[in-house]
Amino acid sequence: MTGRLDCAVIIIGAGPCGLVLAIELGRRGIPVIVLEERTSPGRFPAANATQARTMEHYRRLGFVEKIRAQGLPPDYPTDIAYFDRYARRELARFCLPSARTAREIIKSLSGSWSAAELPHRCSQMYVERVLQREAQAQNSVSIRAGWRSVAVREVNGAVEVEVERSGGGVRATLRASYAVGADGGGSATRKALGYDLIGESGVVRDFLGGRMLALYFRSSELYAAIPHARAWMYWAVNPERRAVMVAINGRDEFIFNTQMRPPLEPEAVSDADAKAMFQVALGARLDVDVIARSAWNAGYTLVVEKFRRGRILLGGDAAHLFTPTGGLGYNTAVEDAVNLGWKLAGTIKGWGGPALLESYETERHAIATRNTAYARTFADSVGRFVPPRELEEDSPAGEAARKIAGDHLNGHARFEFNIPGITFGGRYDGSPIIIPDGTPPPEDSINDYNPSACPGGRAPHLWLADGRSLYDAFGFEFTLLRLGPRPADAVPFAAEASALGLPLTVLDIASDEARGLYGADLALIRSDQIVAWRGNGSAGAADVLRRAAGHVW
Ligand SMILES: Cc1cc2nc3c(=O)[nH]c(=O)nc-3n(C[C@H](O)[C@H](O)[C@H](O)COP(=O)(O)OP(=O)(O)OC[C@H]3O[C@@H](n4cnc5c(N)ncnc54)[C@H](O)[C@@H]3O)c2cc1C
């Protein structure tokens, strides 16, 4: 590599993916420049749910409580409720805990919800503000707001990113060892690499398949107009106008999403028409103040053909596009960043071998394909359900129609919004840096998570006797767990880690419960809390660590 570098990694885009990647790299002292074409943080709600696994990563990074404090008041329920129209009849409801209750009950949950954190339901714009502050607090991270990447290429063992001030004018060229396109669904980085998105787009459904209008509004009277218990998510299901509305601050802000019927495009809708659409879904006259509007497409199940070319990588929406059912787009974007962060750092610091960075694509492409498919399943379940014509009649036929709708929607809500299997059950089987032990991985399931230390999956969680999460005791990089009352020999692992320059924490958990949960005396846990290997002795320590660090091809 020749010439001066401006930093080690240039991240293009300061959305959730870019910011979490900056935090992961910053925590490891890697010099990073984040380019963001916007001059101020997003003021539109966008995603509404931070899944439990993402919350576990925020806990690992030290700011989960700042996230849990965002959005709705601490005692506001996060119910999902379905109505014919919001001010009329309730059809179905799935009750979910408030932020305060979530924090309390997690310590007593087991089975599918044996976890350090429960989900947090709050808007992405609040989350991004916390992520931005956390990224800015890293000494080695520089966020350049108002700077746009206009070209990216690999030149002589480095990357060059041409940048310009948003609005034109000043231009410059930045050089780094790597560049990551976290520049969202329209990713210019993906286009520069010439990679296509593969899958489905343009799916048509009764709801959540087509062009969507998002209306972000303020009303201090809406709660009083809805004669039902408060909810976090309000679905309107009727033959005239289907919509989903989400409570933003628990006082007076809401985001209302409804589908356009072709040929109407959301951009062609006036504020007055948008408000009228809201009133149809509400079933009452109520004027609201428009804060902002947006248009989006429902019906994507798209994954980029490749996540990497040489020193240029893609993550987040640049690499996959979802229909938001299941709330998986932003969460998959964050997990891309988590997966890539420690691998890029290990490669730059020199302890990582070539398979380390290569495994990013193997691992995350499979998860993107899995998660986009699950999101489509949810969109089909709710969006292809056509409300019976008699749904709103005051008649026996109307009663029967509401029973049909209620049964379907009650079942659907539990299907889409209770997803520990998706959240915790993602696996990296077949990755070059996972060392299988010959045991079969647990079955992939949407609603059930089966804790298992079979290498390739999330490290099973438990609460320690002192009240901490097991994850709180892990090291920041690799952790060798010695499980059970008679700790196995860790010296060969420590020696090989030291020879490789690989940071390794040895952690003793003496309980029989932990030994039983992991099914082995030893387990090697990666920085992202994935089991890389498990076994009952240290004889193959050198091979295990060399493979986990990407030195075996
Ligand atoms: C209505 C709606 C509801 C949603 N609900 C959910 C949900 O509940 N749960 C969920 O998980 N997901 C949800 N999503 C999806 C979620 O918002 C995205 O998946 C998420 O924002 C992806 O994050 P990202 O960082 O990859 O990309 P983005 O958030 O798009 O960030 C990309 C950033 O790159 C910047 N950028 C772009 N080009 C350049 C350039 N050339 N130079 C510099 N900067 C650039 C952009 O300004 C932007 O800040 C929803 C989306 C919508 C539209």
Side-chain angles (χ1 to χ4, degrees):
M1 195 188 307
T2 55
R4 186 185 63 82
L5 298 182
D6 296 283
C7 63
V9 181
I10 297 172
I11 299 171
I12 304 165
C17 181
L19 289 171
V20 172
L21 180 59
I23 296 165
E24 291 279 3
L25 292 169
R27 284 286 304 272
R28 295 169 168 94
I30 303 290
V32 173
I33 292 174
V34 185
L35 301 170
E36 171 51 57
E37 64 182 356
R38 289 176 302 168
T39 48
S40 55
R43 290 177 196 277
F44 205 80
N48 296 292
T50 299
Q51 301 294 358
R53 186 71 190 120
T54 306
M55 291 296 277
E56 289 183 339
H57 286 305
Y58 292 163
R59 181 183 183 112
R60 177 176 56 80
L61 292 166
F63 55 83
V64 71
E65 284 305 319
K66 293 180 190 169
I67 297 285
R68 196 152 319 262
Q70 301 297 313
L72 300 167
D75 290 315
Y76 192 103
T78 57
D79 297 6
I80 293 106
Y82 300 80
F83 309 84
D84 55 359
R85 304 189 193 230
Y86 305 138
R88 295 191 190 161
R89 298 182 189 86
E90 181 170 313
L91 300 171
R93 181 175 287 255
F94 182 30
C95 295
L96 287 170
S98 68
R100 193 192 308 277
T101 309
R103 196 186 287 118
E104 286 161 7
I105 62 174
I106 188 62
K107 294 205 168 188
S108 58
L109 297 180
S110 59
S112 282
W113 281 107
S114 46
E117 296 289 340
L118 281 178
H120 181 58
R121 296 182 163 89
C122 97
S123 117
Q124 181 175 338
M125 68 181 173
Y126 296 134
V127 172
E128 278 187 29
R129 287 174 206 169
V130 176
L131 296 180
Q132 178 140 20
R133 283 197 292 273
E134 293 297 317
Q136 267 160 346
Q138 307 299 324
N139 290 332
S140 64
V141 173
S142 165
I143 301 181
R144 310 269 171 95
W147 284 93
R148 196 158 70 89
S149 149
V150 289
V152 53
R153 58 187 164 261
E154 185 166 340
V155 184
N156 297 331
V159 290
E160 285 183 358
V161 180
E162 279 180 41
V163 297
E164 72 174 20
R165 263 235 177 267
S166 298
V170 191
R171 281 183 89 118
T173 301
L174 297 175
R175 300 184 78 242
S177 300
Y178 295 92
V180 179
D183 44 353
S187 174
T189 311
R190 181 185 70 230
K191 289 170 191 158
L193 295 177
Y195 290 157
D196 289 329
L197 290 165
I198 312 286
E200 273 180 8
S201 59
V203 172
V204 177
R205 301 184 182 95
D206 194 56
F207 189 50
L208 294 176
R211 297 279 289 148
M212 305 286 298
L213 169 77
L215 181 70
Y216 177 27
F217 69 85
R218 183 174 292 114
S219 166
S220 53
E221 290 155 39
L222 181 54
Y223 282 120
I226 300 177
H228 304 285
R230 289 189 177 198
W232 159 64
M233 198 175 249
Y234 297 78
W235 294 74
V237 184
N238 63 69
E240 190 181 7
R241 176 144 304 282
R242 294 188 64 170
V244 55
M245 176 175 78
V246 182
I248 300 297
N249 63 2
R251 291 187 307 277
D252 59 357
E253 289 187 16
F254 304 84
I255 177 110
F256 172 78
N257 295 280
T258 193
Q259 188 164 320
M260 303 296 93
R261 296 210 199 286
L264 186 60
E265 292 289 328
E267 293 82 0
V269 173
S270 68
D271 275 3
D273 287 344
K275 289 188 202 182
M277 289 175 189
F278 163 71
Q279 291 187 4
V280 172
L282 176 65
R285 290 192 63 80
L286 178 75
D287 195 19
V288 301
D289 297 327
V290 176
I291 302 173
R293 292 172 39 171
S294 176
W296 56 286
N297 298 306
Y300 286 148
T301 306
L302 293 170
V303 179
V304 72
E305 55 189 301
K306 290 187 68 56
F307 278 53
R308 175 188 177 197
R309 177 178 292 155
R311 294 175 172 274
I312 304 172
L313 301 106
L314 298 171
D317 275 16
H320 35 69
L321 284 174
F322 290 69
T323 289
T325 31
L328 297 172
Y330 138 65
N331 291 279
T332 306
V334 168
E335 256 198 311
D336 288 349
V338 168
N339 188 285
L340 183 55
W342 68 275
K343 294 176 180 177
L344 262 178
T347 305
I348 290 164
K349 290 186 173 185
W351 58 256
L356 190 60
L357 209 47
E358 194 58 29
S359 71
Y360 170 64
E361 173 169 298
T362 317
E363 295 186 351
R364 296 309 298 169
H365 191 283
I367 292 291
T369 303
R370 164 192 190 259
N371 290 1
T372 50
Y374 281 146
R376 179 183 51 202
T377 304
F378 296 138
D380 284 343
S381 168
V382 69
R384 292 197 191 282
F385 173 76
V386 179
R389 267 184 301 114
E390 307 82 7
L391 187 84
E392 298 180 273
E393 284 178 9
D394 282 320
S395 67
E399 282 288 325
R402 289 191 287 280
K403 170 87 171 69
I404 290 168
D407 287 350
H408 178 80
L409 296 168
N410 268 318
H412 170 80
R414 284 147 185 83
F415 178 49
E416 182 185 343
F417 295 97
N418 178 36
I419 53 170
I422 296 183
T423 302
F424 301 131
R427 297 188 52 83
Y428 297 143
D429 299 311
S431 166
I433 60 167
I434 294 292
I435 302 98
D437 66 355
T439 59
E443 208 176 308
D444 196 11
S445 151
I446 291 175
N447 303 112
D448 298 303
Y449 160 69
N450 180 4
S452 164
C454 174
R458 166 180 172 269
H461 180 265
L462 53 83
W463 293 101
L464 302 177
D466 62 9
R468 281 183 308 159
S469 156
L470 171 64
Y471 296 166
D472 298 343
F474 284 173
F476 194 62
E477 300 292 0
F478 281 88
T479 301
L480 182 69
L481 276 178
R482 298 201 296 175
L483 299 147
R486 285 173 301 283
D489 180 16
V491 171
F493 276 97
E496 181 62 20
S498 160
L500 287 171
L502 182 151
L504 179 73
T505 300
V506 178
L507 176 63
D508 292 348
I509 305 290
S511 76
D512 286 327
E513 183 201 355
R515 171 66 181 75
L517 188 61
Y518 277 77
D521 294 336
L522 292 167
L524 181 68
I525 314 297
R526 314 187 326 187
S527 168
D528 53 0
Q529 301 170 341
I530 297 293
V531 180
W533 168 88
R534 71 175 166 180
N536 290 323
S538 293
D543 281 349
V544 166
L545 283 183
R546 284 180 55 72
R547 189 145 168 206
H551 291 282
V552 180
W553 219 191

